[in-house]
Amino acid sequence: MHQFPSILKTEYKSLLKGLFSILCLVLLSSCNVVKRVKDNEHLITNNTIVEDGNTVMNERINNIVIQKTNSGMRKFFGFPLKLHIYNLARPNIDSIIETNVLSDSLKVKRRIALLSKKQFNKQLQSRRNFNAWLKRIGEEPVIYNEDKTENTVTNLRKYYYSKGWFNNEVSYSVEKDSNKLAQVTYKVIKHTPYILDSLNPYISSPKIESLYPKLIANSLLKKGEQYNDENFINERERINTFLRNSGFYHFGQDYIRFDIDTIDTNHKVHTDLKIGNRIIRNEDSVTVLPFKIYKIKEVNIFTDSNYENRFLPITDTTKHRNYNLYSKEKLKYRPKAITDAIFIHKGDTYSDIARTRTQRYLNDLQMFRYPDIEYIENEDDSTLTANIRLEPKKKYDLSFEPEINTSNIQKIGFSFSTGLKIRNVFRGAETLEISGIAAIGASQDPAAGETSFFDINEFGGNIRLTIPRLFSPFKTAKIIPKFMSPSTSMSISATSQQNIGLDKQSLSGVFSYNWFPSKTVTNTLELFNINFIRNLNTSNYFGVYTNSYNSLNSIAEDIGYIADGEELYDDSLSTPYYPADVFIEDVLSNNTSLTSNDDDYSTVQNIEERKERLTEDNLIFSTSFDYKKDKRKNIFDNDFSIFKWRIESAGNFLSAISKLTDVSKNDAGNYEIFDVAFSQYIKTEIDYIKYIDLGRQNVLAFRSYAGIAIPYGNSNSIPFAESFFAGGPNDNRAWSAYNLGPGSSNSTNEFNEANFKLHFSAEQRFNIFGQWHGALFVDAGNIWNVLDNVTDEASTFTNLDSLKDIAVGSGFGLRYDFDFFVVRLDTGFKTYDPSEPTNKRWFRNYNFTNAVFNIGINYPF
């Protein structure tokens, strides 16, 4: 996801103007919404449900209405765009063409002579196709239909009945006017609701009846609560799940029935819970038997079952912990690696959950395709044999990915990445992944303005091993049982860059545990994460951060340190921009006319502090924990929430070792490991996303985020890689990436970062027509420095008054949905800019000239 390059801004503005022109055409051409409504018909403009005198705003209830108004009738300031597009189409295009063109033989001859017969026919067909396209992407007017209104009344009665208002009354009224418009009002009177009272069990099978106390303990039907159909549906599912997990292999929901009695009960509901016996239907007879509990007699695992070898005999048989393993070739897995993934045990009572957990664990191994679990009833009529058939995936997967790219540091670049995945590498269902990247590119010399081809290069590699269990000397099964699909991941990676920024070299290693306590929750514990970053070309700092250099150059000119028109850069020196360092040293040593009371002196001091931090080598040894709860059911779900929390602690282990071994400190008073002062900090982040489905492809999405990283002990600042930034396509879209903040400072740095961040977003997403979608959004937030070595008051968060520096951006977006991804164009306007003077912050630069144009793939959150 990227900010728009400046060369594309003009094109994007032209696109917006084009879309605006089309919209104007629609407005001018079809301003009459009843253009296609016949004289004896009425267009529905509004549906209102009034419940006991109050207008219903609940989307779930309003969706019961069968005849909904045209899209946008009550949105976009009452502008139904799809209806207007439909109205542009001619309902009788063929007769129009016949009357205006084909009926005039002379006109036809002239056009054929001018175009040729083939082109003439194509022209007529294109008119028909365009007319059909307008109808297809548009929307027919919704004409009032009394039968559908009556059906809506019936559905409303059913809905309120399902919620316990058995005696509800629903009526409707229609207001029609001379302009062929109609408004429908549904009036609901609920009356007194019915309350649950008694629950009486009638259970036919003795085995089930004996479990009734346990079965009813967690019942969803509570005495004193209002009747609700959903509770009965959910209770039926709960009972079925309970019994299926209690050994009743042949049990199903159809055997559960609720009979309710409300006659002369004074609005009380008496309920009979009836669970019948098992019914076996044969060709010519029906047998009724009590349900009984089944146990697992045998568990057979076929480790290499696939279509190609289906007729081959089994040649390798192994028994491990009461499991029978069969292979048609030599067994390629250690038996324990397979049996650890199986939750179906010999001698256990049958349980649906054991099947589900086994299926999930086998899928998580990523070793097999479509694991199949089949139960066969044995002749003793009370036991089952479980047959588990596994089809192994290929042992080796090789991938290649070439790429051509451009950026602000290279005119053109070529990269090539490759990856090798090896499954079951140590016969324990482990996965080894080896990947590498190589890139070369052409940069532009910031001093000479010339392009040097292939002077940029980057090389890197990564090795990652995933073990499908917790690799630990301690027993962890009681804390993290295997049904949570625990796994261990170990990785090591290295990268090297040349002529990219400060020419970094990095080496990192990670040892982490992952597990899934439930379907919605994911936990990750990085026991340790070691990251070493070395900057090889720190003398090029001002070649990378040219804004800082320009500020220094301007100050040097103003105080006469250099002559007007000259620059601190000396072309005769082999080390670029070095004189800028000399100027900084002269200023801070009071060898210039500047004093510590001057603003320019503070500017130079801030540049030096930033330079020292961004050019220092980093050694980070951290431990972190990530918690994620994702309630999204599938990719089509638009009513869910996601909560993420992360906490990270760095440097404590190295600090303890340094104190115990009496490591000497450097001049700044910090411990060093391998001549590098290691970082010490604590960092935490909270991220919450909420989607609300408003129906008809309208979604209201919210995001709130807070993060803080506090240095202490061996550090007085946060490493650049661990800092926060603001702005960009997925943040505050009215500012470009890294361009917002910190605080109210009017920073001109290329990368603005800090150690505290707040961010909030709200976005209304709606369908325009077809695959085209739109959005209106508001983003708010900023970054600040807090509890570190930054002293600039404008950049620091001192108290709650600093919240006045929260920047606000607003705007609109245009999106096209390709089904498997979404292309996004967002335009953000600076609504409240904290870097402006206090009395000029609102709508100061709220215009297209100062807007930020973003392009992205998929939604920002």
Side-chain angles (χ1 to χ4, degrees):
M1 301 177 186
H2 311 282
Q3 221 72 35
F4 258 123
S6 58
I7 193 171
L8 295 178
K9 287 186 177 180
T10 303
E11 295 181 13
Y12 183 56
K13 289 181 180 178
S14 299
L15 173 63
L16 293 175
K17 290 179 180 177
L19 292 172
F20 182 73
S21 300
I22 294 173
L23 185 61
C24 290
L25 178 64
V26 171
L27 284 168
L28 293 173
S29 302
S30 63
C31 56
N32 184 7
V33 292
V34 295
K35 185 176 182 179
R36 303 298 179 205
V37 178
K38 298 177 183 178
D39 290 339
N40 60 339
E41 295 177 339
H42 290 80
L43 176 74
I44 297 181
T45 60
N46 191 25
N47 288 305
T48 305
I49 300 175
V50 178
E51 178 188 284
D52 292 338
N54 300 313
T55 300
V56 174
M57 304 303 294
N58 185 298
E59 193 71 20
R60 166 68 181 87
I61 300 177
N62 280 291
N63 280 336
I64 295 174
V65 177
I66 296 174
Q67 272 197 297
K68 297 177 175 62
T69 59
N70 285 99
S71 301
M73 187 66 74
R74 299 181 66 183
K75 300 179 178 70
F76 308 113
F77 308 100
F79 182 70
L81 177 61
K82 287 187 178 182
L83 174 58
H84 285 308
I85 292 174
Y86 183 88
N87 286 342
L88 287 174
R90 308 301 292 270
N92 53 342
I93 186 66
D94 288 329
S95 44
I96 290 174
I97 292 174
E98 176 67 31
T99 302
N100 295 339
V101 180
L102 298 179
S103 63
D104 189 339
S105 58
L106 187 61
K107 181 186 290 186
V108 171
K109 287 181 181 179
R110 284 200 304 267
R111 292 196 178 182
I112 290 176
L114 180 64
L115 299 173
S116 82
K117 185 172 180 59
K118 183 178 180 180
Q119 291 298 324
F120 172 70
N121 290 333
K122 280 189 174 181
Q123 185 185 66
L124 295 182
Q125 188 58 41
S126 67
R127 290 180 63 179
R128 294 187 184 97
N129 292 342
F130 179 70
N131 197 75
W133 179 78
L134 289 174
K135 288 185 176 181
R136 188 169 61 252
I137 68 170
E139 191 176 73
E140 285 188 72
V142 179
I143 305 301
Y144 171 74
N145 181 291
E146 187 171 359
D147 290 339
K148 292 181 179 180
T149 304
E150 291 283 359
N151 290 336
T152 296
V153 169
T154 301
N155 291 342
L156 283 170
R157 287 172 181 158
K158 289 179 180 178
Y159 171 79
Y160 283 97
Y161 185 97
S162 73
K163 299 300 179 182
W165 289 285
F166 295 161
N167 300 323
N168 72 79
E169 297 178 34
V170 181
S171 59
Y172 72 92
S173 61
V174 184
E175 182 182 339
K176 301 177 181 178
D177 61 26
S178 58
N179 294 321
K180 297 192 287 188
L181 302 177
Q183 299 186 56
V184 184
T185 301
Y186 298 92
K187 184 179 180 181
V188 179
I189 301 176
K190 295 184 297 186
H191 293 301
T192 306
Y194 278 70
I195 306 300
L196 296 181
D197 190 43
S198 60
L199 178 64
N200 305 307
Y202 295 89
I203 302 173
S204 302
S205 299
K207 291 287 186 182
I208 296 179
E209 188 176 25
S210 67
L211 293 176
Y212 182 76
K214 291 182 179 179
L215 181 149
I216 207 64
N218 297 311
S219 176
L220 302 177
L221 305 179
K222 309 290 186 183
K223 183 177 181 179
E225 291 187 354
Q226 184 170 326
Y227 176 93
N228 190 329
D229 256 359
E230 288 184 8
N231 290 339
F232 281 80
I233 293 170
N234 294 335
E235 176 70 358
R236 195 165 177 245
E237 292 178 356
R238 188 194 68 82
I239 292 173
N240 179 67
T241 300
F242 176 85
L243 295 177
R244 294 279 300 176
N245 287 325
S246 300
F248 297 97
Y249 174 68
H250 289 292
F251 193 83
Q253 284 194 37
D254 292 343
Y255 293 102
I256 305 170
R257 192 172 83 247
F258 292 103
D259 291 342
I260 64 171
D261 178 19
T262 59
I263 299 175
D264 298 328
T265 61
N266 191 25
H267 297 94
K268 303 290 185 181
V269 178
H270 300 305
T271 306
D272 293 339
L273 167 61
K274 296 183 177 180
I275 301 178
N277 281 325
R278 180 189 174 193
I279 299 175
I280 304 173
R281 300 183 186 277
N282 302 313
E283 290 184 4
D284 55 358
S285 64
V286 175
T287 304
V288 179
L289 297 172
F291 282 102
K292 54 187 172 182
I293 295 173
Y294 283 79
K295 291 187 175 294
I296 305 300
K297 184 176 183 179
E298 294 287 345
V299 181
N300 301 321
I301 306 170
F302 301 89
T303 63
D304 53 3
S305 178
N306 57 50
Y307 184 80
E308 288 76 14
N309 67 10
R310 63 192 184 280
F311 298 123
L312 296 179
I314 292 172
T315 60
D316 192 355
T317 302
T318 304
K319 194 172 186 68
H320 180 75
R321 292 183 178 175
N322 292 325
Y323 293 99
N324 305 315
L325 289 86
Y326 301 102
S327 301
K328 297 183 178 182
E329 299 176 356
K330 184 176 176 58
L331 182 62
K332 297 177 181 179
Y333 306 88
R334 290 199 304 272
K336 186 178 185 299
I338 302 297
T339 59
D340 275 356
I342 310 301
F343 293 84
I344 305 167
H345 305 298
K346 181 178 179 178
D348 280 2
T349 299
Y350 168 81
S351 170
D352 267 358
I353 198 169
R355 179 208 291 256
T356 302
R357 287 174 174 174
T358 300
Q359 194 94 34
R360 177 184 174 187
Y361 202 123
L362 288 170
N363 282 321
D364 288 342
L365 288 179
Q366 299 185 26
M367 294 286 130
F368 309 102
R369 292 188 184 93
Y370 320 118
D372 177 60
I373 303 174
E374 177 189 24
Y375 289 94
I376 298 176
E377 191 171 354
N378 296 312
E379 292 182 358
D380 59 22
D381 208 28
S382 62
T383 63
L384 302 170
T385 295
N387 292 327
I388 302 170
R389 293 181 174 86
L390 307 175
E391 180 183 351
K393 292 182 179 180
K394 292 181 180 179
K395 185 175 182 67
Y396 301 98
D397 271 346
L398 187 61
S399 63
F400 301 94
E401 188 176 344
E403 190 174 295
I404 301 175
N405 50 63
T406 62
S407 71
N408 60 340
I409 63 171
Q410 63 179 3
K411 286 205 165 183
I412 188 169
F414 304 90
S415 66
F416 176 81
S417 58
T418 182
L420 174 64
K421 177 182 284 188
I422 307 174
R423 295 184 176 90
N424 195 36
V425 63
F426 301 122
R427 298 185 66 243
E430 306 90 353
T431 301
L432 180 66
E433 297 172 85
I434 304 172
S435 61
I437 184 173
I440 57 173
S443 73
Q444 182 169 324
D445 188 317
E450 299 176 353
T451 299
S452 300
F453 202 62
F454 295 150
D455 61 327
I456 287 178
N457 63 70
E458 179 178 4
F459 299 95
N462 177 268
I463 299 175
R464 177 187 177 94
L465 176 66
T466 303
I467 303 172
R469 54 193 166 277
L470 295 188
F471 189 73
S472 169
F474 308 105
K475 292 184 178 182
T476 58
K478 292 185 179 180
I479 303 173
I480 305 175
K482 71 174 186 177
F483 75 80
M484 295 183 182
S485 298
S487 65
T488 303
S489 176
M490 293 173 277
S491 67
I492 184 169
S493 61
T495 59
S496 177
Q497 299 174 340
Q498 185 175 351
N499 290 329
I500 301 177
L502 304 180
D503 295 358
K504 295 181 182 294
Q505 286 184 342
S506 64
L507 179 66
S508 63
V510 179
F511 185 98
S512 65
Y513 295 133
N514 304 274
W515 66 98
F516 306 89
S518 69
K519 290 182 179 180
T520 61
V521 176
T522 303
N523 288 336
T524 301
L525 172 64
E526 286 189 353
L527 204 57
F528 63 80
N529 184 331
I530 304 174
N531 194 8
F532 174 70
I533 300 173
R534 183 184 178 194
N535 296 302
L536 300 179
N537 191 13
T538 57
S539 60
N540 191 39
Y541 178 82
F542 290 112
V544 177
Y545 299 96
T546 54
N547 287 351
S548 295
Y549 167 75
N550 291 334
S551 296
L552 290 175
N553 203 77
S554 177
I555 294 172
E557 281 188 3
D558 291 343
I559 66 174
Y561 188 87
I562 57 175
D564 291 345
E566 290 185 352
E567 292 193 23
L568 293 172
Y569 174 77
D570 187 348
D571 194 47
S572 65
L573 297 176
S574 60
T575 304
Y577 302 96
Y578 179 75
D581 290 328
V582 176
F583 174 63
I584 290 174
E585 185 178 350
D586 285 344
V587 170
L588 300 183
S589 300
N590 297 317
N591 293 329
T592 67
S593 59
L594 293 175
T595 68
S596 58
N597 295 324
D598 295 324
D599 290 339
D600 286 344
Y601 183 97
S602 298
T603 300
V604 173
Q605 189 177 45
N606 290 336
I607 290 174
E608 171 63 8
E609 290 176 353
R610 178 178 169 82
K611 175 176 174 292
E612 287 296 319
R613 191 156 75 88
L614 297 187
T615 58
E616 67 181 1
D617 295 338
N618 295 131
L619 176 60
I620 304 173
F621 192 116
S622 65
T623 298
S624 65
F625 175 75
D626 287 82
Y627 172 90
K628 178 181 179 181
K629 187 169 187 177
D630 187 348
K631 292 186 177 181
R632 189 168 194 172
K633 297 174 183 177
N634 52 60
I635 60 174
F636 305 106
D637 186 7
N638 283 318
D639 201 334
F640 65 93
S641 64
I642 300 175
F643 176 76
K644 301 177 187 176
W645 175 60
R646 174 181 173 84
I647 185 166
E648 177 184 0
S649 176
N652 293 334
F653 177 76
L654 294 182
S655 178
I657 294 296
S658 298
K659 291 177 181 178
L660 289 174
T661 56
D662 198 24
V663 174
S664 58
K665 296 184 177 182
N666 59 19
D667 294 339
N670 297 325
Y671 294 113
E672 289 187 345
I673 304 292
F674 305 123
D675 297 325
V676 177
F678 58 85
S679 299
Q680 191 169 8
Y681 60 86
I682 187 167
K683 180 180 182 181
T684 188
E685 299 169 81
I686 297 176
D687 195 358
Y688 179 74
I689 295 171
K690 175 64 179 176
Y691 277 39
I692 301 174
D693 191 347
L694 301 178
R696 306 180 74 180
Q697 300 188 66
N698 284 268
V699 177
L700 190 59
F702 298 94
R703 184 192 182 198
S704 56
Y705 173 91
I708 187 170
I710 302 174
Y712 64 95
N714 212 54
S715 299
N716 54 16
S717 64
I718 298 299
F720 180 79
E722 298 295 332
S723 298
F724 302 103
F725 71 91
N730 299 324
D731 199 80
N732 198 320
R733 285 161 278 185
W735 279 262
S736 56
Y738 297 96
N739 196 39
L740 174 58
S744 61
S745 64
N746 194 8
S747 173
T748 58
N749 292 322
E750 289 84 356
F751 302 100
N752 293 312
E753 38 75 42
N755 66 325
F756 176 49
K757 177 177 180 176
L758 293 174
H759 174 74
F760 308 95
S761 280
E763 185 169 283
Q764 170 72 53
R765 300 168 186 168
F766 50 86
N767 177 256
I768 301 176
F769 57 81
Q771 301 297 96
W772 289 96
H773 299 264
L776 301 174
F777 61 81
V778 176
D779 301 321
N782 208 333
I783 56 173
W784 295 266
N785 290 92
V786 59
L787 302 176
D788 63 1
N789 61 346
V790 176
T791 57
D792 180 16
E793 185 176 343
S795 302
T796 57
F797 190 97
T798 53
N799 51 51
L800 291 179
D801 288 341
S802 298
L803 293 177
K804 70 179 182 299
D805 295 334
I806 289 180
V808 179
S810 58
F812 61 89
L814 182 66
R815 291 89 190 267
Y816 188 84
D817 190 346
F818 286 93
D819 291 331
F820 50 94
F821 70 92
V822 175
V823 174
R824 171 166 55 92
L825 303 174
D826 286 335
T827 303
F829 302 93
K830 294 178 176 62
T831 308
Y832 178 85
D833 189 350
S835 66
E836 296 287 347
T838 303
N839 61 340
K840 296 181 179 180
R841 292 182 173 183
W842 285 102
F843 302 102
R844 175 72 170 175
N845 293 306
Y846 201 86
N847 50 60
F848 276 100
T849 303
N850 294 288
V852 174
F853 304 99
N854 301 279
I855 184 170
I857 302 298
N858 293 328
Y859 292 106
F861 58 91

